[in-house]
C-alpha cells in the first residue's frame, strides 16, 4: 500500500497587481483615500519588508531598492554598483556575480538585481502589513482634517457620546458616514445651566480644527456669538440669501443676545422677517438655545439711532454723543431706567458691546443736574 505523501507547501503568492488596484479603488471610493497615496505606501512597505527579510539586507540603503507597481506589473530590484572587490555588500556586487545577472556588466555600472518579492518571510510580510495599515490611518486622519478644517466657523449637528465627570467636557460625534469624527465641547464653551445626556442631539459651532497624534481634534462651542448668527442663517432664508444682513451680535450665553440686522432691500422689514410669522423663526432659535432671550434691532449708520435701538426694550428720550470719545449720554424716562440698565446691568452692557459705544444712562429727572462732559460709563 502506497504511503500518503505530504504535498509540498505552496509558495506564498502576493496579490496580482490588478487585484491590488481593484482593492485600492474600492478603498478610495469608500474612504476617500487616493489610490496614488496607497501605492506609495505599499512601495514603502515592500522596501521595509525587504530590508527586514534577512540579516544581510538590514544595511541596504532604502534608496537602492526600487519598486514598480502598476495595474499590470509588480516588481522589485536592488541597485548595486559593480566592483572588482566588494567592500560594502549592501551596496556593491563583485564583477563575476554581476555577470551572472548581466553578461555584459562592467565595473562601475549600477546593476538592477531582481528581487523575488514572493519569498518574503512572515516578519517581512507583517512589516509590510503594518506600514499599509498605518498609511490607511494617516490618510483617513488627513482626509478628516481636510474635511473639518473647511467646516471651521460653521454650524453642525452633534450627538452627545459621553461626558467627563471630572472636567465636565462633553464629547460629541459630528458628521455622517466616512466623515464622522469626534469633537469636544469643553466646559467653558457650554451654555451655563445647560445639561447634556448621552444620545442627545444639539447644534454646535465649529471654533477650531487642530491636528493631533490620534487624528484631528474638532473643538466646538455652544456659547460663541456666531452660533446665533448661523442659527439665524438656518431659520431665516432672507439672511442666507443676502437680503438681510447681520451686522453685529452681543451675547451672554444662556441669558440674552442682542443682534443688529439691516435690510439690503428698502421695502423689507428686517426685524419682522427675522421674528417670522407668529414668532416662529426666532422661537425655533430660542428653543434650540434653551430659552435664551433674543433682542433683534435695526442697525443704523446714525450712532444715536443705533444706541437707542440697542437699549431696547427700554424707551429712549435722547442720545448725545460726547466729543472726543466713542461714548454717549442717554436720557430715558424715570420709569424706564431700570429697564434700560437691565438686571445686574445686562441690558446696558450688551448694548455697549453691540454698538462699541460707552453708554452713560441717566433718568430724565437728573438730566439737568449732570454735566454732559462727565465720563461715560459702560
Amino acid at each position: 500500500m502506497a504511503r500518503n505523501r505530504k504535498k509540498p507547501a505552496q509558495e506564498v503568492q502576493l496579490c496580482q497587481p490588478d487585484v491590488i488596484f481593484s482593492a485600492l479603488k474600492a478603498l478610495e471610493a469608500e474612504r476617500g483615500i487616493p489610490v496614488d497615496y496607497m501605492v506609495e505606501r505599499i512601495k514603502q512597505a515592500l522596501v521595509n519588508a525587504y530590508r527586514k527579510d534577512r540579516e544581510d539586507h538590514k544595511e541596504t540603503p532604502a534608496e537602492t531598492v526600487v519598486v514598480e507597481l502598476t495595474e499590470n506589473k509588480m516588481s522589485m530590484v536592488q541597485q548595486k554598483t559593480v566592483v572588482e572587490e566588494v567592500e560594502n555588500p549592501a551596496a556593491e556586487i563583485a564583477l563575476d556575480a554581476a555577470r551572472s545577472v548581466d553578461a555584459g556588466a562592467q565595473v562601475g555600472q549600477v546593476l538592477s538585481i531582481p528581487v523575488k518579492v514572493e519569498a518574503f518571510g512572515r516578519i517581512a510580510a507583517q512589516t509590510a502589513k503594518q506600514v499599509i495599515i498605518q498609511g490607511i490611518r494617516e490618510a483617513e486622519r488627513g482626509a478628516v482634517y481636510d474635511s473639518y478644517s473647511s467646516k471651521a466657523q460653521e454650524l453642525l449637528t452633534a450627538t452627545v457620546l459621553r461626558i467627563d465627570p471630572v472636567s465636565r467636557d462633553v464629547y460629541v460625534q459630528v458628521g455622517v458616514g466616512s466623515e464622522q469624527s469626534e469633537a469636544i465641547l469643553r466646559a467653558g464653551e457650554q451654555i451655563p445651566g445647560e445639561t447634556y445626556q448621552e444620545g442627545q442631539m444639539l447644534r454646535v459651532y465649529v471654533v477650531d480644527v487642530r491636528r493631533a497624534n490620534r487624528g484631528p481634534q474638532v473643538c466646538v462651542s455652544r456659547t460663541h456669538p456666531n452660533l446665533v448668527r448661523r442659527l439665524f442663517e438656518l431659520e431665516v432664508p432672507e439672511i442666507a440669501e443676502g437680503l438681510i444682513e447681520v451686522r453685529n451680535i452681543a451675547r451672554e450665553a444662556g441669558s440674552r443676545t442682542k443682534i443688529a440686522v439691516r435690510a439690503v432691500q428698502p421695502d423689507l422689514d428686517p426685524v419682522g422677517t427675522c421674528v417670522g410669522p407668529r414668532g416662529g423663526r426666532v422661537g425655533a432659535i430660542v428653543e434650540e438655545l434653551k430659552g435664551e432671550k433674543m433682542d433683534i434691532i435695526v442697525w443704523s449708520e446714525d450712532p444715536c439711532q443705533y444706541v437707542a435701538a440697542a437699549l431696547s426694550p427700554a424707551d429712549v428720550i435722547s442720545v448725545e454723543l460726547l466729543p472726543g470719545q466713542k461714548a454717549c449720554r442717554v436720557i430715558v424716562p424715570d420709569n424706564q431706567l431700570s429697564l434700560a440698565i437691565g438686571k445686574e446691568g445686562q441690558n446696558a452692557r450688551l448694548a455697549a458691546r453691540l454698538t462699541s459705544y460707552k453708554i452713560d444712562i441717566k433718568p430724565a429727572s437728573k438730566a439737568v443736574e449732570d454735566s454732559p462732559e462727565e465720563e461715560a460709563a459702560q
Side-chain angles (χ1 to χ4, degrees):
M1 187 174 179
R3 295 181 179 178
N4 292 330
R5 294 183 179 179
K6 292 183 178 179
K7 292 182 180 181
Q10 292 184 348
E11 188 178 35
V12 177
Q13 298 290 327
L14 292 181
C15 290
Q16 295 300 314
D18 59 335
V19 178
I20 292 175
F21 271 82
S22 178
L24 294 183
K25 287 177 182 177
L27 188 65
E28 183 177 45
E30 181 182 348
R31 302 189 185 183
I33 303 175
V35 170
D36 292 344
Y37 174 85
M38 285 309 303
V39 166
E40 292 304 314
R41 295 310 300 249
I42 291 172
K43 288 181 179 180
Q44 179 186 344
L46 291 173
V47 171
N48 290 348
Y50 174 75
R51 297 177 69 200
K52 288 192 175 183
D53 183 50
R54 287 181 4 199
E55 190 67 29
D56 58 336
H57 289 173
K58 288 184 177 180
E59 301 301 322
T60 302
E63 62 272 14
T64 66
V65 183
V66 180
V67 178
E68 182 181 359
L69 178 57
T70 66
E71 292 193 58
N72 302 315
K73 181 181 179 181
M74 181 168 65
S75 64
M76 177 187 289
V77 297
Q78 183 188 357
Q79 297 176 334
K80 289 189 176 183
T81 303
V82 180
V83 295
E84 290 283 0
E85 185 175 346
V86 176
E87 295 181 0
N88 180 8
E92 299 173 341
I93 184 173
L95 180 60
D96 291 343
R99 286 180 174 169
S100 66
V101 178
D102 180 358
Q106 298 294 328
V107 173
Q109 177 184 346
V110 176
L111 188 66
S112 294
I113 305 168
V115 175
K116 288 187 177 181
V117 182
E118 296 86 353
F120 286 172
R122 181 182 299 175
I123 294 177
Q126 184 65 25
T127 300
K129 180 181 177 181
Q130 289 174 351
V131 171
I132 292 170
I133 290 173
Q134 182 63 23
I136 293 174
R137 288 175 179 168
E138 289 178 1
E140 286 182 330
R141 290 170 183 170
V144 172
Y145 175 82
D146 292 341
S147 173
Y148 280 95
S149 61
S150 67
K151 290 183 174 66
Q153 302 180 5
E154 292 298 327
L155 185 71
L156 295 179
T157 299
T159 303
V160 176
L161 296 176
R162 62 186 185 280
I163 303 165
D164 189 316
V166 178
S167 66
R168 295 192 302 109
D169 292 342
V170 177
Y171 294 87
V172 300
Q173 179 180 288
V174 292
V176 295
S178 61
E179 292 191 353
Q180 277 189 357
S181 182
E182 187 176 283
I184 182 169
L185 177 62
R186 298 200 180 278
E189 297 292 341
Q190 298 168 23
I191 295 176
E194 192 171 61
T195 58
Y196 308 96
Q197 295 179 343
E198 291 183 10
Q200 177 183 348
M201 297 182 69
L202 63 158
R203 303 275 189 179
V204 294
Y205 177 77
V206 181
V207 178
D208 192 18
V209 183
R210 305 168 187 165
R211 291 189 183 273
N213 292 334
R214 296 185 178 181
Q217 184 181 62
V218 183
C219 301
V220 297
S221 174
R222 290 274 291 168
T223 62
H224 200 286
N226 279 344
L227 173 67
V228 176
R229 183 188 299 270
R230 298 293 181 240
L231 287 172
F232 269 95
E233 289 174 358
L234 186 67
E235 296 293 337
V236 183
E238 290 83 357
I239 293 179
E241 294 168 5
L243 301 178
I244 292 177
E245 182 181 12
V246 176
R247 294 304 303 256
N248 204 4
I249 297 174
R251 184 183 185 204
E252 292 189 358
S255 180
R256 195 183 199 106
T257 288
K258 286 183 180 289
I259 177 170
V261 296
R262 67 178 286 268
V264 176
Q265 291 185 348
D267 59 341
L268 193 61
D269 174 13
V271 174
T273 302
C274 291
V275 171
R278 298 182 181 179
R281 291 176 172 179
V282 73
I285 297 170
V286 170
E287 183 179 357
E288 173 62 40
L289 299 178
K290 305 297 185 285
E292 186 171 320
K293 294 178 181 178
M294 291 286 151
D295 293 340
I296 307 172
I297 71 161
V298 178
W299 179 86
S300 174
E301 292 182 355
D302 182 341
C304 292
Q305 289 184 15
Y306 189 24
V307 169
L311 286 170
S312 172
D315 295 326
V316 173
I317 296 174
S318 66
V319 178
E320 179 186 1
L321 299 181
L322 300 182
Q325 309 175 54
K326 195 167 185 180
C328 60
R329 185 184 189 203
V330 177
I331 307 301
V332 298
D334 287 25
N335 62 354
Q336 296 281 299
L337 179 64
S338 60
L339 187 61
I341 295 174
K343 185 178 180 181
E344 298 178 350
Q346 184 186 66
N347 194 58
R349 186 166 59 247
L350 286 175
R353 288 182 196 168
L354 189 72
T355 61
S356 300
Y357 273 80
K358 291 184 178 181
I359 302 174
D360 179 26
I361 304 174
K362 298 295 182 183
S365 60
K366 292 188 178 181
V368 180
E369 302 174 13
D370 295 328
S371 170
E373 289 79 20
E374 183 181 355
E375 277 278 320
Q378 188 173 347

